[in-house]
Amino acid sequence: MATEGEPRPAGDSVRIRLFDADRTDRALSFDEALAMTPSERQLLWIDIQGPFGSDQGDRIRDSFELDAATLSALAQVAGPSGDGWSPEIGLHGRYVHVRVVAAPDPRRRGGVWLGIVGGPNLVITGHAEPLELLDAIDERIAADTTTGELDAADFIASVLDAVVISYRAAVDAIEDEVDVIDAKALGREEFGDLFRQLIDVRRRVGRLRRLLASHRELFAVLARGEFIHAARAADAAGLQAVAGRFEAALQGVEDARELVLGSFEILMTRTGQRTNDVMRLLTVATVLALPATIVAGFLGMNVQTPLPDKEPLSFWFVVVAILLVEGVILVVARLRRWI
């Protein structure tokens, strides 16, 4: 990272690190980075956050012999907006260019566009917003003296692997939220708000799936021979492993969608169960009303009844008889677990 008080010549912030297999890794200023040519046992990483001016772009282009298309793609990614962009992978002479979405957040937006340019012993990354995954990579390998022995393709594979991990983290967050909804559905009687939450989760799963599906071709190209050759990868296993992990992340989204559908079934089952409980109570209440209705009907007939109609005790005899019958009904219903 640039030192305190040092002017930041490119973007809102710039992180430049030289990984050296023969000595301690060190941070460089922008001018120092442009003036040097990394050796075979060194790897120069320039990370640019935010837009950088045309004069800085010209200096980067001239120092590292980038073509106009590569520099333009990198400048766009570091710009303020990624609306209308799509994942991209390209081969530009000695350099390869990759543009992906990192750290997706389907709750409020797609994610942060990340541009990567790799060439002989050089990797340049550009993004408009902070990316914790790049900070984690910097912290993890800052003191690793063997990093200088890595080629640009290996470092690109590490960055893309971190991107894929961010995809998996987004899937895990959705699965955790679905688990919470399931737990609430199994322990509550009202489900209106849970249905709304699950509908929102379903929408986010759909957005995340569309986002990852748009990257499928890009990650498939990583494992192909032409890209591996163009990237001058000493070991193709790293890029191929990243492509495999991406497919696993995409399958994780599919699994999350099935999990959401399963949660809908749980809610529908609990709703049906609650409806059955209500209908059972209404049925028992209806049965309890039958004795009183039948007795009142008999006593209201225009015929002579066994009970004297002028005797007050007849009323209480009828009430007690009705209550006894209803008590028997309640005991039977309780024993059979109808209530």
Side-chain angles (χ1 to χ4, degrees):
M1 187 73 69
T3 58
E4 187 76 20
E6 181 182 346
R8 293 174 173 176
D12 296 334
S13 66
V14 58
R15 164 175 35 207
I16 304 176
R17 186 177 294 278
L18 178 66
F19 301 104
D20 197 325
D22 298 320
R23 62 183 65 184
T24 304
D25 302 334
R26 63 185 187 276
L28 302 179
S29 67
F30 188 67
D31 291 333
E32 289 174 337
L34 297 184
M36 75 167 303
T37 302
S39 69
E40 291 299 324
R41 293 180 59 78
Q42 294 176 330
L43 179 65
L44 180 63
W45 177 30
I46 302 177
D47 178 50
I48 303 171
Q49 176 187 323
F52 54 95
S54 59
D55 55 337
Q56 287 89 14
D58 292 341
R59 294 181 63 189
I60 293 175
R61 179 197 61 198
D62 295 340
S63 297
F64 302 112
E65 300 180 0
L66 301 180
D67 61 22
T70 303
L71 182 63
S72 175
L74 185 63
Q76 287 178 0
V77 171
S81 175
D83 295 339
W85 291 350
S86 60
E88 182 179 291
I89 187 168
L91 310 176
H92 307 280
R94 300 187 304 158
Y95 292 92
V96 296
H97 169 248
V98 180
R99 181 171 68 197
V100 296
V101 172
D105 184 3
R107 185 184 296 274
R108 62 184 182 90
R109 54 188 170 85
V112 179
W113 284 99
L114 171 65
I116 308 171
V117 171
N121 306 306
L122 171 69
V123 174
I124 304 175
T125 54
H127 47 99
E129 301 177 35
L131 279 175
E132 293 184 1
L133 62 91
L134 294 180
D135 297 335
I137 291 176
D138 186 33
E139 293 175 2
R140 185 175 70 250
I141 64 180
D144 187 356
T145 58
T146 63
T147 306
E149 299 178 357
L150 298 177
D151 55 25
D154 292 329
F155 193 83
I156 291 175
S158 297
V159 174
L160 292 178
D161 192 47
V163 170
V164 172
I165 291 174
S166 73
Y167 297 161
R168 185 64 238 187
V171 176
D172 291 342
I174 290 176
E175 291 179 348
D176 291 342
E177 189 169 353
V178 172
D179 288 341
V180 172
I181 292 175
D182 287 348
K184 292 180 179 179
L186 294 173
R188 290 171 54 175
E189 297 296 331
E190 298 295 334
F191 313 115
D193 59 330
L194 297 183
F195 273 110
R196 289 190 293 270
Q197 293 177 30
L198 205 54
I199 290 172
D200 179 66
V201 171
R202 178 63 182 85
R203 289 171 179 167
R204 284 188 276 130
V205 169
R207 286 195 293 266
L208 185 59
R209 183 187 179 280
R210 288 190 295 271
L211 175 66
L212 266 65
S214 67
H215 288 72
R216 174 177 285 164
E217 183 177 356
L218 183 149
F219 281 92
V221 171
L222 289 179
R224 295 177 185 169
E226 60 268 25
F227 181 83
I228 294 173
H229 175 73
R232 297 176 176 84
D235 185 4
L239 292 171
Q240 293 171 345
V242 172
R245 281 190 283 273
F246 170 78
E247 288 299 327
L250 187 57
Q251 182 59 46
V253 177
E254 298 290 348
D255 295 341
R257 184 166 62 171
E258 294 297 326
L259 191 63
V260 172
L261 294 178
S263 295
F264 270 116
E265 292 179 1
I266 290 176
L267 285 177
M268 293 304 298
T269 301
R270 290 285 289 128
T271 301
Q273 180 184 8
R274 184 168 179 269
T275 301
N276 290 338
D277 293 340
V278 172
M279 293 303 299
R280 184 166 58 246
L281 290 175
L282 291 176
T283 301
V284 172
T286 302
V287 172
L288 289 176
L290 282 177
T293 303
I294 294 174
V295 171
F298 279 134
L299 295 179
M301 297 174 62
N302 192 19
V303 296
Q304 187 69 34
T305 62
L307 298 175
D309 55 355
K310 302 297 185 179
E311 177 62 45
L313 290 178
S314 299
F315 169 79
W316 295 112
F317 177 80
V318 171
V319 170
V320 171
I322 292 174
L323 291 177
L324 287 175
V325 173
E326 291 184 347
V328 171
I329 294 174
L330 287 174
V331 171
V332 172
R334 186 62 179 174
L335 290 176
R336 292 182 174 271
R337 296 185 178 181
W338 294 341
I339 55 175

